[in-house]
Structures are given as C-alpha cells and as structure tokens.
Amino acid sequence: MAKEDSGIQAAVGGAADAAEAASNSSWLDAVARSGFAVMALLHIVIGAIAIALVLGAPGQAEPTGAIEQLAANPWGPAVMWAACIACGGLSLWQLSEATLRGRHLPRRERLGKLISSGFLAIAYGSVGLSFAGFALGQRGDSGDSTRDFSTALVQSPFGIPAMVGLGLTIIGIGVYFIVKGCGRKFKEELHHFEGTHRGKLISVLGVTGHVAKGLALLLTGLLFVIAAATNNPSSSTGLDGSLKALRDHPFGPYLLLAIGAGFIAYGVFALVRARFGRM
C-alpha cells in the first residue's frame, strides 16, 4: 500500500513538473507580456475617460467602457480577439504562478501566492471574456450589471453579510495597492534600474499609479458596504459609479482628475512591466 501511495505521489509530482516546464515556455511568456500590455492600455483609456468626465464628456470609467472605446475602430473585432487571447494567456500564466511555481515556496508564502495570483488569474480571465463578448457584439453597461449583481446578492441567503464581505475585500485590495505603491514593492517585479533617470521615472509612475488605483478600489468597495448597510443595492455601481459620484462633492473633480492621471501613470508603468518585468 505504501509503495502504491509513493508511486502515485511520484506520478503526480512528475506530471506537475512537466506542467511547470510547459508553463515556463517562451511562448506563454510572450503571450503573458502582451496581456500586460493590453491591461496597460485599458488603464490609460480608463484614466483618460475619468479626466474627460470632469470636463462633462460621456463615458464609462471602467474596463467595459475602455474596451468599448477600443472596439470603436475599423479593426475592432480583430483587436478584440487579439486582446482576448492576450488576457487569456496572462490569466493562464498567473494561474501557473499560483499553483505550479508557487508549490516550491514556504507554506505561508505559498498561501499568499495562491490568493494573490489566483485572484489576478480570475480578474484577467474575466477581462478576456469581456473582450470576447465585444467581439461577438455583446455590449452592456457595467453599472447596470453591478446593480443587478448586487440586487441578486442581497436577495440571496446571507446576502447582506456577503455584500459587506465583498466590499471589505475590495477595500482590502485597494489598501494592498496603496501599501505596495508607497512601499515601492512593485520594484520586485522589474529588472533593476536603480541609480538611473529611467529608474526614478519608473518609481514615480509606480507609486502614483498604484496609489491612484488603490484609492479607486477603496471607493468602489465603500459603495458595496454602503449599499449593504442601507439595504439599497442600486447604490452599488462599480468603479464607474464611484468615480462619477466624486463630481458631486466640493473637491471631487480635483480628486477625479488626480485619479485619472494616476490611472494613466499606472498604465505607463504596466507597459514598462510588460517589457522589462520578471517572468
């Protein structure tokens, strides 16, 4: 029996090693880098939309709105499918980070990698599905989708605690981005440029971009918590709604401008990540 168990473990370990070797292939790295570039472009477009909102222009300052902008060109369907493949590859790469390569880490670090990379794999995969939806002609308003999701969640068993938990999770992710930016922990993802003008510029972009994205996530998570506390799921409108809500406050437009500029900075940083990042 012990020999059979050891044989099964050896077979599983060998299969995992083979899968890890496949995940380290140059083609997957290339597709994942293109996925980082797509995400960079989305952040730049979202930042531009957020700034335009201050000037009274229409638009949705979130991934769906950015994808809609990218789809509005003669090569829209081809761009959508290419971006879908890129995001799918990036999702697969993050999944391999969470499972195959993460299994070599100490237990605590392995759990952290499973949570962080696993969440990113889901996030990038969902963006890839959004690109596929646009390529197939399926359009929708993200604010309406978020409100529908919130309404269904509230009406389900344990709906209010679940919505509070979701809001707090998003707030926690926002705090993570702020801490990562202020602590310059993003430098671990890049080849070193210390002591150069390029390194200083990358550091400024990284700090500004991570903090801005963190603030936007804090606002989004806060709307979920408020919706749960007031039992009003219609007030939960996602990233776009949280940014548009800033326009109604005295200093909101200035904060919206800062967040928009920060998203653009994060997008430029992500382009650097796509080119010079550690894979």
Side-chain angles (χ1 to χ4, degrees):
M1 189 66 178
K3 289 183 178 180
E4 291 181 2
D5 290 342
S6 62
I8 293 174
Q9 291 176 359
V12 172
D17 290 339
E20 182 179 355
S23 71
N24 288 328
S25 63
S26 58
W27 70 266
L28 182 57
D29 281 356
V31 176
R33 287 186 187 277
S34 67
F36 278 121
V38 169
M39 296 304 299
L41 184 58
L42 283 183
H43 280 84
I44 291 173
V45 175
I46 290 172
I49 294 174
I51 292 174
L53 289 176
V54 180
L55 304 176
Q60 297 181 53
E62 42 74 48
T64 303
I67 294 172
E68 185 176 12
Q69 295 290 329
L70 296 176
N73 65 78
W75 303 280
V79 172
M80 295 298 99
W81 284 120
C84 174
I85 294 171
C87 290
L90 181 55
S91 176
L92 183 60
W93 182 82
Q94 287 289 357
L95 183 61
S96 66
E97 283 281 290
T99 55
L100 299 173
R101 285 185 285 275
R103 64 196 175 101
H104 301 297
L105 298 172
R107 184 173 182 178
R108 180 177 296 180
E109 294 181 24
R110 185 166 67 247
L111 179 60
K113 176 61 72 173
L114 179 63
I115 294 173
S116 61
S117 293
F119 172 81
L120 288 174
I122 295 172
Y124 295 143
S126 66
V127 173
L129 290 176
S130 295
F131 275 111
F134 270 82
L136 295 172
Q138 299 173 1
R139 309 287 174 93
D141 184 279
S142 69
D144 292 340
S145 299
T146 304
R147 279 189 291 268
D148 292 343
F149 169 77
S150 300
T151 301
L153 185 61
V154 167
Q155 293 174 350
S156 66
F158 307 105
I160 297 297
M163 181 171 284
V164 171
L166 176 60
L168 293 177
T169 299
I170 297 174
I171 289 173
I173 297 171
V175 172
Y176 165 78
F177 269 92
I178 293 174
V179 171
K180 182 179 180 180
C182 293
R184 292 175 170 80
K185 297 183 182 297
F186 52 82
K187 290 185 177 181
E188 300 171 1
E189 303 172 356
L190 300 169
H191 294 292
H192 295 296
F193 296 104
E194 298 294 340
T196 66
H197 292 297
R198 179 186 293 179
K200 294 178 181 178
L201 176 59
I202 292 172
S203 182
V204 171
L205 290 172
V207 172
T208 304
H210 281 82
V211 171
K213 185 169 182 177
L215 288 174
L217 288 171
L218 284 177
L219 291 171
T220 303
L222 185 60
L223 283 184
F224 274 103
V225 174
I226 292 174
T230 60
N231 198 20
N232 181 21
S234 64
S235 64
S236 177
T237 53
L239 176 61
D240 179 62
S242 64
L243 293 180
K244 287 178 178 176
L246 290 175
R247 296 180 299 183
D248 300 328
H249 297 276
F251 298 99
Y254 300 103
L255 182 57
L256 184 55
L257 280 173
I259 291 177
F263 263 77
I264 293 174
Y266 185 89
V268 176
F269 168 82
L271 283 176
V272 175
R273 171 73 175 86
R275 174 64 179 85
F276 299 105
R278 299 180 184 276
M279 303 296 287

